[in-house]
Coordinates of all heavy atoms in Angstrom, one line a residue:
L6 N 36.5 71.5 9.6 CA 35.7 70.2 9.5 C 35.5 69.8 8.0 O 35.4 70.7 7.1 CB 34.3 70.4 10.2 CG 34.2 70.7 11.6 CD1 32.8 70.8 12.0 CD2 34.9 69.6 12.4
D7 N 35.6 68.5 7.7 CA 35.3 68.0 6.5 C 34.4 66.7 6.8 O 34.0 66.4 7.9 CB 36.6 67.6 5.7 CG 37.5 66.5 6.4 OD1 36.9 66.0 7.4 OD2 38.7 66.4 6.0
A8 N 34.0 66.1 5.7 CA 32.9 65.1 5.9 C 33.5 63.9 6.8 O 32.8 63.3 7.6 CB 32.6 64.5 4.5
T9 N 34.9 63.6 6.6 CA 35.4 62.5 7.4 C 35.4 62.9 8.9 O 35.1 62.1 9.7 CB 36.8 62.3 6.9 OG1 36.8 61.9 5.6 CG2 37.4 61.1 7.7
M10 N 35.7 64.1 9.2 CA 35.9 64.7 10.5 C 34.5 64.7 11.2 O 34.3 64.2 12.4 CB 36.5 66.0 10.7 CG 36.6 66.6 12.1 SD 37.6 65.5 13.2 CE 39.3 65.8 12.3
I11 N 33.5 65.1 10.5 CA 32.1 65.1 11.0 C 31.6 63.7 11.2 O 31.0 63.4 12.3 CB 31.2 65.8 10.0 CG1 31.6 67.3 9.9 CG2 29.7 65.7 10.5 CD1 30.8 68.1 8.8
K12 N 31.9 62.8 10.4 CA 31.5 61.4 10.6 C 32.2 60.8 11.8 O 31.6 60.1 12.6 CB 31.9 60.5 9.4 CG 31.5 59.0 9.5 CD 32.0 58.4 8.2 CE 31.6 56.9 8.4 NZ 32.0 56.0 7.2
M13 N 33.4 61.2 12.1 CA 34.2 60.7 13.2 C 33.6 61.2 14.5 O 33.4 60.5 15.5 CB 35.7 61.0 13.1 CG 36.5 60.5 14.2 SD 36.8 61.6 15.6 CE 37.8 62.9 14.9
L14 N 33.2 62.5 14.6 CA 32.8 63.1 15.7 C 31.4 62.5 16.0 O 31.1 62.3 17.2 CB 32.6 64.7 15.6 CG 34.0 65.4 15.5 CD1 33.6 66.9 15.0 CD2 34.7 65.4 16.8
T15 N 30.7 62.2 15.0 CA 29.4 61.6 15.2 C 29.3 60.2 15.8 O 28.7 59.8 16.7 CB 28.5 61.7 13.9 OG1 28.5 63.0 13.4 CG2 27.1 61.0 14.1
T16 N 30.2 59.4 15.1 CA 30.3 58.0 15.6 C 31.0 57.8 16.9 O 30.8 56.8 17.7 CB 31.3 57.2 14.5 OG1 32.5 57.8 14.4 CG2 30.6 57.0 13.3
R17 N 31.7 58.8 17.5 CA 32.3 58.9 18.6 C 31.4 59.5 19.7 O 31.9 59.8 20.9 CB 33.6 59.5 18.7 CG 34.7 58.7 17.9 CD 36.0 59.3 17.8 NE 37.0 58.5 17.2 CZ 38.3 58.7 17.1 NH1 38.8 59.7 17.8 NH2 39.1 58.0 16.4
N18 N 30.1 59.9 19.3 CA 29.1 60.4 20.1 C 29.5 61.7 21.0 O 29.2 62.0 22.0 CB 28.8 59.3 21.3 CG 28.1 58.1 20.6 OD1 27.4 58.1 19.8 ND2 28.6 56.9 21.1
V19 N 30.4 62.5 20.3 CA 30.6 63.9 20.7 C 29.2 64.8 20.6 O 28.7 64.8 19.5 CB 31.6 64.6 19.9 CG1 31.8 66.1 20.3 CG2 33.0 63.8 20.0
P20 N 28.7 65.2 21.6 CA 27.3 65.7 21.6 C 27.3 67.2 20.8 O 26.4 67.4 20.1 CB 26.9 65.9 22.9 CG 28.2 65.9 23.8 CD 29.2 65.1 22.9
S21 N 28.2 68.0 21.1 CA 28.3 69.4 20.7 C 29.7 69.9 20.5 O 30.6 69.3 21.0 CB 27.5 70.3 21.6 OG 28.1 70.3 22.9
I22 N 29.8 70.8 19.5 CA 31.2 71.4 19.4 C 30.9 72.9 19.3 O 29.9 73.5 19.1 CB 31.6 70.9 17.9 CG1 30.6 71.3 16.7 CG2 32.1 69.5 17.9 CD1 31.1 70.9 15.4
E23 N 32.0 73.6 19.5 CA 32.3 75.0 19.5 C 32.9 75.5 18.2 O 34.0 75.0 17.8 CB 32.9 75.4 20.7 CG 32.8 77.0 20.9 CD 33.5 77.4 22.3 OE1 33.4 76.6 23.2 OE2 33.9 78.6 22.4
I24 N 32.3 76.3 17.4 CA 32.8 76.7 16.2 C 32.9 78.3 16.1 O 32.3 79.0 16.8 CB 31.8 76.2 15.1 CG1 30.5 76.9 15.1 CG2 31.8 74.7 14.9 CD1 29.6 76.6 13.9
L25 N 33.8 78.7 15.1 CA 33.9 80.1 14.8 C 33.3 80.5 13.6 O 33.1 79.6 12.7 CB 35.5 80.3 14.6 CG 36.4 80.3 15.8 CD1 37.8 80.5 15.4 CD2 36.1 81.5 16.9
S26 N 32.7 81.7 13.4 CA 32.2 82.1 12.3 C 32.3 83.7 12.1 O 32.2 84.4 13.1 CB 30.6 81.8 12.3 OG 30.0 82.3 11.1
V27 N 32.6 84.0 10.8 CA 32.7 85.5 10.7 C 31.4 86.3 10.5 O 31.4 87.5 10.6 CB 33.7 85.8 9.4 CG1 35.1 85.2 9.7 CG2 33.0 85.2 8.2
T28 N 30.4 85.5 10.2 CA 29.1 86.1 10.2 C 28.0 85.4 11.1 O 28.4 84.4 11.7 CB 28.5 85.8 8.8 OG1 28.5 84.5 8.5 CG2 29.4 86.5 7.7
E29 N 27.0 86.0 11.3 CA 26.0 85.5 12.3 C 25.2 84.3 11.7 O 24.9 84.3 10.5 CB 25.0 86.6 12.7 CG 24.0 86.1 13.6 CD 23.1 87.3 14.2 OE1 23.3 88.5 13.7 OE2 22.2 87.0 15.1
I30 N 25.2 83.2 12.4 CA 24.5 82.0 11.9 C 23.0 82.0 12.2 O 22.7 82.3 13.3 CB 25.1 80.7 12.5 CG1 26.5 80.5 11.9 CG2 24.3 79.5 12.2 CD1 27.3 79.4 12.5
T31 N 22.1 81.8 11.2 CA 20.7 82.0 11.6 C 20.0 80.7 11.1 O 18.7 80.6 11.3 CB 20.1 83.2 10.8 OG1 20.3 83.2 9.4 CG2 20.6 84.4 11.4
D32 N 20.6 79.9 10.3 CA 19.8 78.7 9.7 C 19.9 77.4 10.5 O 19.3 76.5 10.2 CB 20.4 78.5 8.4 CG 21.9 78.2 8.2 OD1 22.6 78.5 9.2 OD2 22.4 77.6 7.3
I33 N 20.6 77.4 11.6 CA 20.6 76.1 12.5 C 20.6 76.6 13.9 O 21.0 77.7 14.3 CB 21.9 75.4 12.3 CG1 23.1 76.1 12.6 CG2 22.0 74.8 10.9 CD1 24.4 75.3 12.4
P34 N 20.0 75.7 14.8 CA 20.0 76.0 16.3 C 21.3 76.2 16.9 O 22.2 75.3 16.7 CB 19.3 74.8 16.8 CG 18.6 74.1 15.7 CD 19.5 74.3 14.5

């Protein structure tokens, strides 16, 4: 993801996305 892609997903009303992470995420729901 970059800023343009995030903006596109938001404007197209994509509610949620599935992401990969090598570490545990604790700072966002």
Side-chain angles (χ1 to χ4, degrees):
L6 298 179
D7 58 19
T9 302
M10 179 61 67
I11 293 170
K12 180 180 178 182
M13 184 270 288
L14 292 172
T15 302
T16 56
R17 294 183 178 186
N18 298 315
V19 175
S21 61
I22 54 175
E23 192 172 329
I24 62 168
L25 292 172
S26 177
V27 295
T28 59
E29 189 172 0
I30 294 178
T31 59
D32 57 340
I33 59 175

